[in-house]
Amino acid sequence: MVFDPQARDFQHNPYPVYDELRSTTPVFFWEPWKIWFFTRYDDVNTLLRDRRLGRTMDHILPPEQRYVPPPDIEPFTRLSSHSMFDKEPPEHTRLRGLVHKVFTPRRVESLREQITAITNKLLDAVVDKGEIEILEDFAVPLPVNVISELLGVPDADRHLLRPWSNNIVVMYELGHTPEQERLAVQSAVDFADYLRNLAAERRANPKDDLITALVQVEEAGERLTMDELISTCVLLLNAGHEATVNVIGNGLWALLRNPDQLRRLAAEPSLIPTAVEELMRFDTPLQLFRRWVLEDFEYKGQHFKQGDELGLMFGAANRDPARFPDPNTLDITRQDNPHISFGGGVHYCLGAPLARLELQMAYQTLLKRLPNMRLAGDAPTFKDAYVIRGLHELRLKFDH
Ligand code: HEM
């Protein structure tokens, strides 16, 4: 078995390769991308929390050595350069603190009713047909609608968000075409303009939504700049979008391949919270996160130099037998399940409480309203991508 993150076979099912790598070469340098890859849970979990590594290096480099984007992609990099995702402490601490102050558990919990309404509305449109394409009919529109609800994006504008987000997240895959780059830049410009106008409108006419709260938030005299506010909203939409879609798609497909587990979950909805965690572990929606070495250091006898790039393989870590007994078995009752799918350390997923609520409610509604779900047609296929792992489509039949 050969490791090649651009090979279709690997992208469609990376788990057998992970099993082999974890036991034979748990840490290896992959020459084509000059990345050190880590496959074991213990290593991935430890390195995520190691402050000698960062999601970016810019903050430690002298200005003349920092990355300067080519002018034609500047509008795109501007979005990420003002987001907490691409900052390290102390800037990251300040930004995350401000956003955390208003993106509270209370605000997430207050979305419960709207999430119920959104999930039911999406299924109302298909229940009489006895057939559904899970991704387009349900999994894709759900997170966009929930995040729009959270932010306060009016109904009439919501159709704009998904194409913008899709065009932007393509840039997070390893490798993209000039046309994809052009679309990402255009979407960044349009999205930023839209949010700037919406924020100005809310400053004049405050409402009970997250955009208003972000416009008003203040902590110890600190506020968000307009660039930071725009980047935060884009991050919330993008970060919370594809992964949630794919935990629904990949998760249902995993349940269909394990019919005993699907039957049990349908019969015992109280298992939904542990089932959602297990589905996130079993088929990890975001397979890889990278880190850069901020200062020379040694880890388990291996020397790493400033600027080295590390690839933390979440999908491999989540199937590590040293942490998860019987890791290749889907067990919706698994209790001890500290999966790494939401990350760890200072960048731990800020949206995890919302993602959990949304996913639990999605599974609850799907299992209740689409009884006896089964595959319609051929087995689904995974997209040709490595980092964001998801299906092209998933067609199901159900009793009605
Ligand atoms: C199943 C769904 C989701 C998964 C698997 C997921 C996963 C992750 C992971 C792994 C990270 C850390 C990346 C790193 O350490 O390099 C992260 C960060 C983040 N996520 Fe999520 N996420 C999900 C849903 C959401 C949602 C719904 C939101 C918000 C609406 C969200 C907002 C964020 C934000 C703002 C960050 C950046 C935090 C920081 O840099 O401090 N995520 N997410």
Side-chain angles (χ1 to χ4, degrees):
M1 258 179 259
V2 183
F3 170 71
D4 178 357
Q6 282 171 312
R8 289 197 175 166
D9 282 355
F10 174 76
Q11 292 175 346
H12 293 187
N13 182 11
Y15 298 107
V17 179
Y18 287 154
D19 285 345
E20 188 162 317
L21 290 171
R22 226 188 289 101
S23 59
T24 56
T25 44
V27 183
F28 61 97
F29 185 70
W30 203 59
E31 190 58 42
W33 289 347
K34 311 234 175 300
I35 294 183
W36 287 95
F37 281 108
F38 290 78
T39 58
R40 289 190 174 159
Y41 180 90
D42 178 42
D43 293 334
V44 172
N45 192 38
T46 304
L47 292 170
L48 272 174
R49 291 165 168 77
D50 195 317
R51 299 310 311 141
R52 294 168 301 181
L53 303 173
R55 280 189 52 91
T56 167
M57 300 192 57
D58 268 9
H59 62 298
I60 58 156
L61 294 176
E64 66 278 8
Q65 280 180 31
R66 288 184 195 160
Y67 170 71
V68 179
D72 50 335
I73 67 159
E74 194 276 338
F76 172 80
T77 46
R78 190 186 170 102
L79 272 193
S80 47
S81 66
H82 289 282
S83 107
M84 72 180 88
F85 214 33
D86 283 296
K87 295 262 185 256
E88 286 300 309
E91 265 294 276
H92 173 269
T93 319
R94 175 189 148 265
L95 252 176
R96 184 162 167 136
L98 282 165
V99 178
H100 201 241
K101 201 170 165 200
V102 291
F103 187 23
T104 55
R106 193 195 59 80
R107 190 177 292 277
V108 170
E109 192 47 43
S110 74
L111 288 170
R112 191 177 278 274
E113 235 170 77
Q114 283 106 309
I115 300 177
T116 309
I118 296 166
T119 51
N120 277 315
K121 189 169 163 209
L122 291 169
L123 294 185
D124 285 346
V126 297
V127 276
D128 290 340
K129 297 190 211 152
E131 218 173 297
I132 182 170
E133 199 287 282
I134 284 290
L135 295 170
E136 278 308 309
D137 294 342
F138 185 79
V140 169
L142 174 65
V144 185
N145 276 297
V146 171
I147 294 161
S148 301
E149 198 69 55
L150 169 78
L151 288 172
V153 173
D155 273 356
D157 300 339
R158 289 184 186 176
H159 67 280
L160 298 166
L161 266 52
R162 193 181 150 214
W164 284 335
S165 168
N166 281 351
N167 294 341
I168 291 171
V169 296
V170 165
M171 299 289 269
Y172 301 130
E173 280 296 330
L174 304 164
H176 24 77
T177 64
E179 175 57 11
Q180 285 173 326
E181 214 166 274
R182 194 192 61 73
L183 271 174
V185 171
Q186 189 56 52
S187 299
V189 172
D190 295 344
F191 202 175
D193 285 348
Y194 175 80
L195 289 166
R196 197 173 296 110
N197 290 334
L198 189 59
E201 206 280 316
R202 289 298 195 279
R203 182 166 286 131
N205 302 299
K207 285 197 177 170
D208 182 16
D209 59 31
L210 191 66
I211 295 232
T212 306
L214 290 169
V215 168
Q216 295 174 341
V217 71
E218 193 173 335
E219 169 104 322
E222 293 281 351
R223 309 197 67 141
L224 292 173
T225 64
M226 184 49 82
D227 276 336
E228 288 167 350
L229 185 144
I230 290 171
S231 294
T232 299
C233 294
V234 174
L235 175 65
L236 290 178
L237 176 72
N238 291 342
H241 183 179
E242 295 288 327
T244 314
V245 172
N246 292 329
V247 177
I248 298 174
N250 304 355
L252 277 176
W253 176 223
L255 286 167
L256 288 160
R257 282 176 287 147
N258 292 273
D260 57 320
Q261 299 282 297
L262 176 57
R263 267 194 304 276
R264 177 142 186 220
L265 191 57
E268 288 179 65
S270 62
L271 290 175
I272 285 174
T274 52
V276 164
E277 300 307 310
E278 176 67 346
L279 295 171
M280 290 191 65
R281 179 196 73 81
F282 186 75
D283 205 352
T284 311
L286 303 170
Q287 290 276 320
L288 174 80
F289 281 91
R290 289 176 291 160
R291 290 293 187 267
W292 278 263
V293 174
L294 303 178
E295 56 184 83
D296 293 8
F297 79 114
E298 219 168 273
Y299 181 76
K300 296 194 174 166
Q302 178 71 48
H303 192 71
F304 296 97
K305 288 200 303 296
Q306 188 185 61
D308 281 354
E309 189 175 341
L310 311 189
L312 307 178
M313 293 172 128
F314 284 22
N318 276 337
R319 297 268 193 123
D320 188 340
R323 186 61 192 85
F324 303 98
D326 212 358
N328 290 326
T329 299
L330 180 75
D331 175 5
I332 57 165
T333 66
R334 197 182 285 272
Q335 291 294 332
D336 178 24
N337 188 358
H339 65 73
I340 206 99
S341 301
F342 285 123
V346 297
H347 289 285
Y348 178 81
C349 179
L350 189 71
L354 176 61
R356 287 194 160 110
L357 177 68
E358 203 174 325
L359 288 165
Q360 289 175 13
M361 296 187 71
Y363 275 96
Q364 207 166 10
T365 318
L366 285 167
L367 291 164
K368 190 163 127 202
R369 298 203 58 195
L370 312 182
N372 192 17
M373 262 189 251
R374 57 211 182 267
L375 198 59
D378 293 338
T381 50
F382 281 91
K383 290 182 184 162
D384 300 336
Y386 172 46
V387 178
I388 302 177
R389 176 165 169 78
L391 296 169
H392 285 290
E393 58 169 34
L394 181 60
R395 292 196 175 277
L396 302 182
K397 284 188 196 157
F398 51 88
D399 296 344
H400 66 112

